[in-house]
Amino acid sequence: MPPAPPPPPSRPRATGRVTLADVAALAGVSPITVSRTLRGERTVDPVLAARVKEAAQQLRYVPDPAARALASRHGSHVAVLIPMLSNALFVDLLEAVQRTLRPAGYQTLIGITHYSPDEEEQLLREQLQHRPAGLLVTGIDQNAATRDLMAHSGVPCVHLMELSTDPAQYCVGFSQRDAGEAITRHLLERGRRRIAFVAAQLDPRTLQRAEGYRRALQAAGLYDPALERLDPRPSSMALGGELLEQLLREQPGCDAVFFCNDDLAQGGLLAALRLGVAVPQRLAVAGFNDLSGSDQMLPPLTTVATPRGAIGEASAQMLLSLMRGDTPARHSVDLGFELRLRAST
């Protein structure tokens, strides 16, 4: 009979847990090479990386994040706080963040704030207990306690989706106000004069779009607060249809609608079809975010394309720079927006 294979090295800990040093000894490399390989860093020599992976598999090694955090003061993960996972724009952003961080050896730990400042504060407290290497947070509207936590945590932080004039705040995004103003000006240029603004959720970025809408109409001398519909319920296609029907009952002279998000606008277009309201002849309809399906609506939806993927990638790159101890060239990166002009206006 062939001889039995040699047993794996003995486990020196009383717990019997295989350590990183055990993997390094079996692979014949340094512990730092094991650490870099298992974090997914691509700078490790492929031959050494293969030996490390083979040794880790043989020993059934599972990294201990808590031990790694204690050894390095911070862990190998980045905490990401976003308002909702059901909103497609944050899914696009998260995918870009993960694609950028993983090759550098970082995992993402996601927290959902549900647009609640208090919930965001509690999530941040919990995340900081795990010693993240960095933070990515949505917006710049945190409450005072959350701002204090971030300022005194010693953890690098980048804000997403908005811009700040504060040089102490690193951020990647675009001007929500300018985008709201631009799409409203487009409707004015199309000859529309009774332009409504329909919004849901009412988070700070939505309200900034409302400010841009007002700015454009006030400059034209056409602002009428009776044409605003601000609903705190979560944004959805069904709500968009409901709000359009309500608007047309109460303001029959309305000739255009700027919806704060594409799901509302898509629901509005379907409601117009049911009601026999011709778009764009009788009513122009515009949305925001250029979500999936907007270009397939009947008629295709005019909207504001926002660079969610680019924001995710650029913010992760900025955070990697901060985590290396480097100072980014700019504290605020404006990636802009684009009007997608289609048949609905």
Side-chain angles (χ1 to χ4, degrees):
M1 295 180 62
S10 61
R11 300 177 182 180
R13 282 187 176 180
T15 61
R17 186 184 183 97
V18 175
T19 68
L20 184 141
D22 298 332
V23 177
L26 183 60
V29 299
S30 68
I32 189 63
T33 299
V34 175
S35 178
R36 290 168 57 208
T37 299
L38 298 182
R39 286 203 307 266
E41 293 188 20
R42 298 179 179 177
T43 55
V44 180
D45 180 272
V47 174
L48 298 182
R51 279 163 43 190
V52 168
K53 291 174 182 176
E54 183 180 352
Q57 183 176 6
Q58 182 178 340
L59 294 173
R60 299 183 180 87
Y61 173 68
V62 177
D64 183 351
R68 181 182 297 169
L70 285 170
S72 64
R73 187 167 172 260
H74 293 302
S76 60
H77 74 275
V78 167
V80 186
L81 301 185
I82 61 170
M84 292 289 281
L85 266 179
S86 57
N87 192 326
L89 73 91
F90 292 112
V91 174
D92 295 341
L93 186 148
L94 283 172
E95 287 183 352
V97 166
Q98 180 132 325
R99 281 198 309 269
T100 306
L101 292 178
R102 278 208 69 180
Y106 293 97
Q107 302 293 328
T108 52
L109 185 60
I110 300 166
I112 310 300
T113 68
H114 299 106
Y115 294 96
S116 164
D118 292 339
E119 194 166 344
E120 182 178 51
E121 177 191 340
Q122 183 58 36
L123 276 169
L124 181 62
R125 291 184 186 278
E126 294 168 1
Q127 298 276 29
L128 290 175
Q129 292 175 15
H130 297 285
R131 303 188 182 198
L135 297 171
L136 292 171
V137 298
T138 304
I140 57 174
D141 57 300
Q142 288 71 32
N143 65 27
T146 300
R147 290 196 300 271
D148 187 66
L149 279 172
M150 291 190 295
H152 292 91
S153 68
V155 178
C157 177
V158 176
H159 297 259
L160 309 167
M161 301 301 293
E162 292 185 54
L163 303 175
S164 172
T165 57
D166 181 355
Q169 273 187 327
Y170 292 97
C171 54
V172 179
F174 62 97
S175 172
Q176 305 275 346
R177 290 180 188 85
D178 288 354
E181 183 176 10
I183 191 67
T184 307
R185 282 202 311 266
H186 161 70
L187 293 170
L188 288 168
E189 290 164 2
R190 286 286 196 266
R192 309 294 170 160
R193 292 298 177 262
R194 298 284 293 164
I195 303 172
F197 178 70
V198 174
Q201 198 67 65
L202 307 186
D203 62 271
R205 287 159 297 285
T206 292
L207 298 180
Q208 289 165 29
R209 294 167 206 162
E211 291 174 14
Y213 156 84
R214 295 177 193 129
R215 191 163 62 187
L217 289 178
Q218 287 165 351
L222 294 171
Y223 175 63
D224 181 355
L227 290 170
E228 290 190 10
R229 292 294 180 276
L230 305 180
D231 194 304
R233 287 177 288 175
S235 183
S236 69
M237 290 179 68
L239 182 59
E242 176 188 331
L243 292 176
L244 182 78
E245 291 185 27
Q246 178 191 92
L247 174 70
L248 293 180
R249 280 197 309 271
E250 298 173 357
Q251 296 290 333
C254 171
D255 60 7
V257 187
F258 165 27
F259 287 94
C260 79
N261 200 39
D262 273 11
D263 56 355
L264 291 173
Q266 290 170 3
L269 282 176
L270 293 174
L273 185 63
R274 288 194 303 272
L275 295 170
V277 176
V279 176
Q281 294 84 353
R282 159 69 180 82
L283 183 74
V285 176
F288 201 96
N289 278 321
D290 197 21
L291 299 182
S292 176
S294 289
D295 60 344
Q296 300 301 309
M297 298 300 293
L298 292 174
L301 178 65
T302 288
T303 185
V304 178
T306 55
R308 285 105 56 185
I311 289 172
E313 180 179 352
S315 62
Q317 291 287 3
M318 180 182 282
L319 186 61
L320 286 172
S321 178
L322 290 168
M323 291 188 298
R324 289 193 299 265
D326 300 331
T327 300
R330 292 176 291 166
H331 78 92
S332 181
V333 177
D334 184 353
L335 294 181
F337 57 88
E338 180 185 347
L339 298 188
R340 295 279 168 83
L341 305 182
R342 300 184 179 122
S344 69
T345 58

